[in-house]
Amino acid sequence: MPEFTKPYESRWQAFLLLLPTFAVLIAFLYYPGIETFRLSLQQTILLGTRKTFVGIENYITLATSSTYHWSFAISVAFAAVVVIGTLAASLFVAYLLFQVDVGSSTYLIAAIWPYALPTAVAASVLLFLLHPSLGILTFVLESLTGTSLEWFTNGPQAFAIVALVAIWKQLGYNIIFMVAALNNIPETLTESAKLDGVGHLKMLYRVYVPLMSPTLVFLVVMNTIYAFFQTFPLVDLMTSGGPNEATNLLIFKLYRDAFEFSNLGLASAESVVLFAVVAILMYVQLRLSESYTTYA
């Protein structure tokens, strides 16, 4: 019987090994979080050089602001579109890659390369490709559909364009995990299903998707965080929150209140609310997923 060897000799040694991790968490997570909540209870002027304690006044302002209500609603709608769209498109592409026998590595690299692009670079590239009057993709889409894309002035079109770019940017991240999950499914299970005459579509949603459920739950959580927090460069570079506030997502409104209107107290309250909303969504998703996830 092999002898078990502890990775450390004493509790103090274990504590010293964990100390850098604790230091990083305190310096870059817990302390900024506490400072943000403290700042949300204050009214600030001159970029925070003068502060006045106002209690929950900033939160009351948010609760009674129609602009904030609109920003909250479109952020939830945007996250729903991005999460559902990303998962559906990624699952389709990953399944096609899983079925390919020749050149699968080349196809996989081609599918995931958008994820390697920095978000700001991807936004700049898509801005030119989808420009209402200069974009090559805009010309092709208008020729195929017979409609006019004026997303610089049309709110719903701007919302759709930013959502499509956000989905495209996140595809690679999801495809990597989905292809890995598909490759871990036993080959004997696939062969048995084929012998029973199960078609490709039914094989995907009746056999593969239940076995991939732990990976899909993880991706739902990560995509939700991405939709709420990491799409700021797309909005900033492509629409700047417009037109007519159609893409003024919570993360972009927070930035404008903090750095354009110098209201750090109100922006801090918005960040606390945004964090609470995402935390609640994560909790609900994980609790609901326990009933549908298969760990085998």
Side-chain angles (χ1 to χ4, degrees):
M1 184 175 181
E3 183 180 355
F4 177 73
T5 304
K6 290 184 177 180
Y8 50 85
E9 297 178 356
S10 67
R11 292 184 177 180
W12 281 108
Q13 188 178 10
F15 175 76
L16 290 176
L17 290 172
L18 291 173
L19 190 58
T21 302
F22 287 140
V24 171
L25 288 175
I26 292 172
F28 297 104
L29 182 62
Y30 297 118
Y31 176 73
I34 294 172
E35 280 296 300
T36 300
F37 178 72
R38 188 179 65 82
L39 195 58
S40 71
L41 303 177
Q42 298 176 341
Q43 186 177 31
T44 62
I45 57 174
L46 300 176
L47 290 176
T49 56
R50 295 182 182 178
K51 305 173 185 175
T52 305
F53 181 78
V54 294
I56 62 172
E57 184 176 318
N58 288 323
Y59 293 96
I60 295 175
T61 301
L62 295 180
T64 57
S65 170
S66 59
T67 303
Y68 187 75
H69 294 166
W70 169 256
S71 184
F72 186 91
I74 63 169
S75 297
V76 173
F78 181 81
V81 171
V82 170
V83 172
I84 295 173
T86 303
L87 286 175
S90 302
L91 185 61
F92 177 71
V93 175
Y95 187 56
L96 292 180
L97 291 172
F98 181 65
Q99 298 292 326
V100 172
D101 295 325
V102 180
S104 58
S105 299
T106 303
Y107 292 126
L108 180 61
I109 293 172
I112 66 176
W113 75 267
Y115 183 66
L117 283 175
T119 308
V121 174
S124 300
V125 171
L126 269 296
L127 175 62
F128 286 107
L129 292 177
L130 292 167
H131 193 282
S133 57
L134 304 175
I136 296 175
L137 292 180
T138 300
F139 174 77
V140 174
L141 290 173
E142 289 180 342
S143 301
L144 293 176
T145 62
T147 59
S148 179
L149 292 180
E150 298 291 346
W151 57 277
F152 276 5
T153 56
N154 186 303
Q157 287 190 12
F159 182 91
I161 289 294
V162 176
L164 284 175
V165 174
I167 291 171
W168 171 78
K169 181 67 181 67
Q170 189 69 356
L171 284 181
Y173 182 85
N174 288 258
I175 290 172
I176 292 172
F177 284 93
M178 288 183 180
V179 169
L182 286 167
N183 285 324
N184 285 330
I185 295 175
E187 182 64 25
T188 54
L189 187 62
T190 302
E191 293 176 353
S192 299
K194 287 181 178 177
L195 289 175
D196 291 338
V198 179
H200 287 288
L201 184 60
K202 195 173 183 180
M203 178 88 78
L204 176 61
Y205 76 86
R206 294 294 296 273
V207 178
Y208 291 155
V209 167
L211 294 175
M212 295 170 61
S213 52
T215 301
L216 296 177
V217 170
F218 166 75
L219 291 175
V220 167
V221 173
M222 298 307 295
N223 289 333
T224 303
I225 295 173
Y226 163 76
F228 274 101
F229 290 105
Q230 299 175 14
T231 51
F232 169 79
L234 302 179
V235 176
D236 186 34
L237 292 172
M238 297 186 71
T239 63
S240 297
N244 299 322
E245 307 289 333
T247 57
N248 192 19
L249 306 180
L250 286 176
I251 191 66
F252 187 73
K253 184 178 186 309
L254 186 159
Y255 161 79
R256 295 184 65 189
D257 287 337
F259 299 105
E260 289 188 13
F261 307 127
S262 301
N263 196 340
L264 294 181
L266 186 63
S268 298
E270 292 178 27
S271 66
V272 172
V273 173
L274 182 58
F275 172 79
V277 168
V278 174
I280 292 172
L281 287 175
M282 297 299 98
Y283 177 78
V284 172
Q285 288 175 353
L286 291 175
R287 290 303 299 269
L288 289 177
S289 66
E290 290 179 355
S291 303
Y292 303 100
T293 303
T294 301
Y295 294 95

